[in-house]
């Protein structure tokens, strides 16, 4: 990624929402807990795409096309063109609100990083691991559970009220500069005393 092309401020895209995601086949894991986690994750992702499509017109949403997803939700698949990195980054740039959920093994998914780097407001399933200085109701709105896709529309409307998504987007852009920008990311990993 050419970091010089990342936005330096937020711009109003009319509150456009983005949630482009993928499914994970539960059968590709030998662990029963992981199989169940993937089932819950997939249900959230499919249901969230459907609810976004039914409630909002200013939305970019869909599922990464692969063999498993083709069987689960053929009506939600993104095209090969839509999943191209350049197209996706342009879509991030032209959005204001990003929906995120847990990544693999209950980590915050990389969507948090992508959305922050592009200055988006964020709605996420509960973040259960320490993410330094990334705060509920400041950097993101938290759904009540990993299955609470039905809460997404109300949270979007809350962010769209008085364009609150712009304020949260700026907070996230600043957070990403401090925590994710390559020169700061590495220095955050290494304790200060180790640098001298």
């Amino acid at each position: 990624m050419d970091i010089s092309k990342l936005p330096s401020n937020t711009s109003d895209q009319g509150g456009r929402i983005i949630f482009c995601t993928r499914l994970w086949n539960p059968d590709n894991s030998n662990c029963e807990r992981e199989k169940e986690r993937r089932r819950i994750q997939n249900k959230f992702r499919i249901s969230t795409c459907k609810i976004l499509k039914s409630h909002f017109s200013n939305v970019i949403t869909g599922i990464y096309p692969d063999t498993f997803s083709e069987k689960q939700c053929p009506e939600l698949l993104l095209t090969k063109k839509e999943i191209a990195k350049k197209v996706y980054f342009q879509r991030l740039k032209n959005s204001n609100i990003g929906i995120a959920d847990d990544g693999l093994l209950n980590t915050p998914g990389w969507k948090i990083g992508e959305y922050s780097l592009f200055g988006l407001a964020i709605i996420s399933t509960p973040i259960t691991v320490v993410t330094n200085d990334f705060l509920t109701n400041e950097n993101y709105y938290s759904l009540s559970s990993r299955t609470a896709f039905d809460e997404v529309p109300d949270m979007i409307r809350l962010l769209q009220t008085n364009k609150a998504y712009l304020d949260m987007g700026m907070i996230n852009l600043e957070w990403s500069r401090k925590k994710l920008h390559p020169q700061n990311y590495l220095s955050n990993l290494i304790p200060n005393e180790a640098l001298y």
Side-chain angles (χ1 to χ4, degrees), residues 11-13 29 33-34 36 48-49 58-59 65 68 81 84-85 87-88 91 108 114 127 129 139 143 154 183 186 194:
S11 61
D12 192 356
Q13 304 296 328
S29 174
R33 274 178 68 187
E34 178 60 12
E36 182 58 19
T48 300
C49 287
N58 196 10
V59 65
F68 178 72
K81 180 183 176 188
K85 190 182 295 187
V87 172
Y88 179 63
R91 287 178 154 198
E114 291 173 350
I127 295 175
V129 298
N139 298 92
L143 300 170
D154 285 341
Q183 80 182 50
L186 291 176

Side-chain angles (χ1 to χ4, degrees), residues 73 118 125 141 180 187:
C73 54
F118 282 85
T125 53
Y141 285 155
L180 300 179
S187 63

Side-chain angles (χ1 to χ4, degrees), residues 59-101:
V59 65
I60 300 163
T61 191
I63 306 284
Y64 182 89
D66 60 23
T67 307
F68 178 72
S69 301
E70 286 170 6
K71 293 175 184 169
Q72 302 300 310
C73 54
E75 75 285 6
L76 295 175
L77 298 184
L78 296 163
T79 66
K80 292 286 184 187
K81 180 183 176 188
E82 289 174 310
I83 62 170
K85 190 182 295 187
K86 187 175 181 180
V87 172
Y88 179 63
F89 285 169
Q90 188 60 44
R91 287 178 154 198
L92 283 173
K93 211 178 236 186
N94 294 327
S95 298
N96 291 122
I97 300 169
I99 311 301
D101 70 323

Side-chain angles (χ1 to χ4, degrees), residues 13-191:
Q13 304 296 328
R16 182 175 292 130
I17 307 139
I18 188 167
F19 184 54
C20 299
T21 189
R22 71 175 309 140
L23 304 182
W24 294 99
N25 188 341
D27 295 334
N28 289 347
S29 174
N30 295 324
C31 173
E32 283 307 315
R33 274 178 68 187
E34 178 60 12
K35 284 177 188 278
E36 182 58 19
R37 194 197 65 72
R38 289 182 183 195
R39 285 186 198 100
I40 291 167
Q41 182 181 56
N42 290 342
K43 182 176 181 185
F44 175 85
R45 291 177 177 190
I46 291 169
S47 300
T48 300
C49 287
K50 287 179 179 178
I51 208 166
L52 289 171
K53 281 180 175 276
S54 68
H55 283 73
F56 302 95
S57 58
N58 196 10
V59 65
I60 300 163
T61 191
I63 306 284
Y64 182 89
D66 60 23
T67 307
F68 178 72
S69 301
E70 286 170 6
K71 293 175 184 169
Q72 302 300 310
C73 54
E75 75 285 6
L76 295 175
L77 298 184
L78 296 163
T79 66
K80 292 286 184 187
K81 180 183 176 188
E82 289 174 310
I83 62 170
K85 190 182 295 187
K86 187 175 181 180
V87 172
Y88 179 63
F89 285 169
Q90 188 60 44
R91 287 178 154 198
L92 283 173
K93 211 178 236 186
N94 294 327
S95 298
N96 291 122
I97 300 169
I99 311 301
D101 70 323
D102 295 338
L104 293 175
L105 304 175
N106 294 323
T107 61
W110 177 240
K111 294 276 182 231
I112 298 289
E114 291 173 350
Y115 295 157
S116 296
L117 285 165
F118 282 85
L120 274 65
I122 299 169
I123 297 168
S124 178
T125 53
I127 295 175
T128 58
V129 298
V130 174
T131 308
N132 289 337
D133 304 319
F134 197 79
L135 307 172
T136 308
N137 297 327
E138 187 172 324
N139 298 92
Y140 72 104
Y141 285 155
S142 179
L143 300 170
S144 63
S145 73
R146 296 184 62 210
T147 59
F149 59 86
D150 55 329
E151 296 173 3
V152 170
D154 285 341
M155 288 195 176
I156 289 171
R157 290 186 191 102
L158 188 61
L159 282 168
Q160 289 175 335
T161 301
N162 299 320
K163 300 186 179 186
Y165 53 81
L166 292 174
D167 294 330
M168 186 183 282
M170 269 315 291
I171 290 168
N172 287 335
L173 196 58
E174 187 56 33
W175 180 83
S176 76
R177 284 187 192 121
K178 291 177 183 173
K179 302 294 182 180
L180 300 179
H181 189 282
Q183 80 182 50
N184 295 329
Y185 183 77
L186 291 176
S187 63
N188 287 331
L189 290 175
I190 303 168

